[in-house]
């Protein structure tokens, strides 16, 4: 097929490479404009742009696709059979959606209709889902609401992080889009309307990582994994910001006898400190923090942290 590919972050790159190696003609790549990043505020290309240019594929970077007659004229000149979209970052207007004869096909990182929206990978972990996956679908004007085509299911492991699941799903997108395009060419795919339970995966912001210690230990532990590596989970300790990287759920803390209802310490209180863990009271159970990072310092295990920053029972983490 003759294709236009639309994508922006690193997550999109494996699908682009799969299309190229799979024998399709990627006539053009569309990605978001370059942005200034880092302390030096230097202009940086998107990962998709870098991958495309390295392979001699023309790249277009419109600020806006909607109401952009010049860009629409460019697409009409290319005359793609289909447009493949994955984590592009802009909604496509009707005149683009209806342009290619085989449609605009989206690669979405969830098992639709659950987790429509911007951050399906992280929210699946935060919400305690046991599995997620990739769905290919026809695009329409609604947000991730089009008819589904194919799915790949990926189990969510007990120690899964947002970063590790991101990589698994990115890798799964390539084979699935190749299978989808083959089915479209052969006319063997059935459109499946989305029906049943749905939810919205809202965009991630840094304030989501500010731990509310009144939550249960299991929910906080999932939050730590889901928001790793970005935007990260954090709390305040003696006036300093501490980033939490890895923790375990515990129902008993070392050397601490069970307390009666109403007698347990305020959530966020450090209950016990051992050579390899900091045990913190939550709204339900204890969180044993195993890996953390003080602002301006390196990420380290609890033992190394405690050698440089001694803590004791009664100290308090605060949101």
């Amino acid at each position: 097929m003759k294709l236009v590919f639309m994508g922006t972050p690193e997550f999109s790159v494996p699908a682009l490479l799969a299309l190229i190696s799979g024998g399709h003609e990627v006539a053009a790549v569309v990605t978001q404009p370059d942005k200034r990043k880092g302390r030096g505020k230097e202009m940086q290309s998107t990962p998709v742009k870098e991958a495309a240019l390295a392979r001699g594929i023309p790249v277009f970077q419109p600020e806006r696709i909607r109401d952009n007659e010049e860009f629409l004229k460019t697409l009409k000149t290319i005359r793609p059979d289909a447009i493949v979209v994955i984590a592009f970052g802009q909604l496509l207007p009707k005149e683009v959606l209806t342009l290619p004869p085989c449609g605009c096909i989206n690669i979405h990182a969830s098992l639709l209709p659950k987790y429509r929206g911007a951050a399906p990978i992280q929210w699946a972990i935060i919400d305690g889902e046991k599995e997620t996956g990739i769905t290919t679908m026809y695009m329409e004007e609604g947000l991730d609401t089009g008819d589904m085509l194919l799915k790949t299911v990926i189990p969510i492991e007990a120690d899964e992080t947002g970063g590790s699941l991101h990589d698994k799903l990115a890798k799964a997108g390539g084979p699935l889009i190749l299978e989808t395009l083959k089915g479209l060419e052969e006319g063997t795919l059935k459109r499946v309307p989305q029906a049943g339970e749905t939810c919205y995966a809202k965009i991630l912001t840094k304030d989501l990582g500010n731990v509310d210690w009144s939550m249960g230990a299991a929910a906080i532990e999932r939050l730590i994994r889901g928001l790793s590596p970005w935007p990260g989970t954090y709390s305040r300790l003696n006036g300093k910001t501490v980033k939490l990287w890895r923790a375990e759920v515990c129902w008993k803390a070392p050397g601490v006898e069970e307390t009666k209802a109403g007698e347990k310490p305020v959530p966020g209180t450090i209950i016990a400190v051992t050579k390899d863990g900091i045990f913190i009271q939550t709204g339900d159970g204890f969180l044993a923090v195993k890996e953390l990072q003080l602002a301006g310092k390196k990420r380290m295990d609890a033992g190394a942290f405690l050698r440089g920053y001694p803590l004791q029972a009664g100290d308090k983490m605060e949101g």
Side-chain angles (χ1 to χ4, degrees), residues 231-277:
T233 311
Y234 61 92
S235 192
R236 299 281 291 176
L237 177 63
N238 297 329
K240 297 182 178 181
T241 300
V242 177
K243 199 166 187 178
L244 308 177
W245 284 104
R246 186 170 61 86
E248 296 175 1
V249 177
C250 299
W251 301 108
K252 291 184 179 180
V256 178
E257 296 182 0
E258 293 187 18
T259 58
K260 297 179 181 179
E263 293 183 358
K264 68 182 182 181
V266 174
T269 302
I270 294 175
I271 300 301
V273 178
T274 68
K275 63 180 181 179
D276 62 354

Side-chain angles (χ1 to χ4, degrees), residues 1-315:
M1 278 191 179
K2 186 178 186 181
L3 305 173
V4 167
F5 181 89
M6 295 185 178
T8 296
E10 191 66 41
F11 185 79
S12 309
V13 173
L16 172 60
L17 300 184
L19 292 172
I20 296 169
S21 63
H24 293 280
E25 179 191 352
V26 181
V29 160
V30 184
T31 189
Q32 294 281 60
D34 296 350
K35 292 184 178 180
R36 296 189 182 278
K37 293 184 179 180
R39 293 184 178 180
K41 296 297 181 183
E42 295 181 359
M43 294 295 291
Q44 291 188 14
S45 302
T46 71
V48 164
K49 177 181 178 179
E50 292 179 356
L53 292 180
R55 290 156 181 83
I57 301 172
V59 174
F60 298 91
Q61 297 179 273
E63 288 281 352
R64 284 174 53 87
I65 286 183
R66 191 174 297 275
D67 300 322
N68 189 332
E69 289 298 324
E70 182 179 351
F71 177 71
L72 183 61
K73 183 178 179 180
T74 298
L75 286 182
K76 289 179 177 178
T77 300
I78 295 172
R79 299 179 64 186
D81 298 313
I83 296 175
V84 174
V85 183
I86 174 171
F88 172 50
Q90 295 188 45
L91 293 177
L92 305 188
K94 185 177 181 179
E95 56 266 28
V96 174
L97 294 171
T98 57
L99 189 150
C102 292
C104 294
I105 309 300
N106 182 231
I107 307 168
H108 185 73
S110 80
L111 299 176
L112 291 171
K114 295 188 74 174
Y115 297 101
R116 297 169 178 163
I121 299 172
Q122 294 83 0
W123 283 106
I125 295 174
I126 294 169
D127 290 346
E129 298 287 348
K130 301 301 181 185
E131 63 181 22
T132 185
I134 295 287
T135 304
T136 53
M137 55 176 284
Y138 280 108
M139 297 180 71
E140 57 180 32
E141 290 185 84
L143 180 62
D144 301 327
T145 57
D147 290 349
M148 300 177 294
L149 293 167
L150 294 176
K151 292 184 179 182
T152 293
V153 176
I154 302 292
I156 297 177
E157 304 296 337
D159 60 349
E160 201 81 72
T161 66
S164 64
L165 189 56
H166 167 282
D167 293 347
K168 290 178 183 178
L169 293 174
K171 185 177 180 180
L176 192 66
I177 189 59
L178 290 178
E179 186 180 354
T180 299
L181 294 179
K182 181 181 179 182
L184 289 177
E185 289 180 300
E186 297 174 350
T188 57
L189 292 186
K190 294 183 179 179
R191 302 176 68 127
V192 181
Q194 295 190 39
E197 182 183 0
T198 186
C199 56
Y200 177 69
K202 66 181 181 180
I203 194 169
L204 301 180
T205 57
K206 289 185 178 180
D207 64 315
L208 284 172
N210 190 6
V211 175
D212 176 359
W213 292 100
S214 67
M215 295 166 54
I220 296 173
E221 190 273 338
R222 294 196 305 268
L223 185 72
I224 292 170
R225 289 189 289 110
L227 297 185
S228 174
W230 194 91
T233 311
Y234 61 92
S235 192
R236 299 281 291 176
L237 177 63
N238 297 329
K240 297 182 178 181
T241 300
V242 177
K243 199 166 187 178
L244 308 177
W245 284 104
R246 186 170 61 86
E248 296 175 1
V249 177
C250 299
W251 301 108
K252 291 184 179 180
V256 178
E257 296 182 0
E258 293 187 18
T259 58
K260 297 179 181 179
E263 293 183 358
K264 68 182 182 181
V266 174
T269 302
I270 294 175
I271 300 301
V273 178
T274 68
K275 63 180 181 179
D276 62 354
I278 302 166
F279 292 76
I280 304 171
Q281 180 74 56
T282 73
D284 184 20
F286 304 103
L287 191 75
V289 177
K290 300 291 186 177
E291 206 171 341
L292 63 170
Q293 181 179 7
L294 196 64
K297 303 294 183 179
K298 293 182 179 180
R299 172 177 174 175
M300 60 188 74
D301 62 44
F305 180 90
L306 291 167
R307 286 192 290 274
Y309 198 88
L311 297 176
Q312 60 185 0
D315 288 341

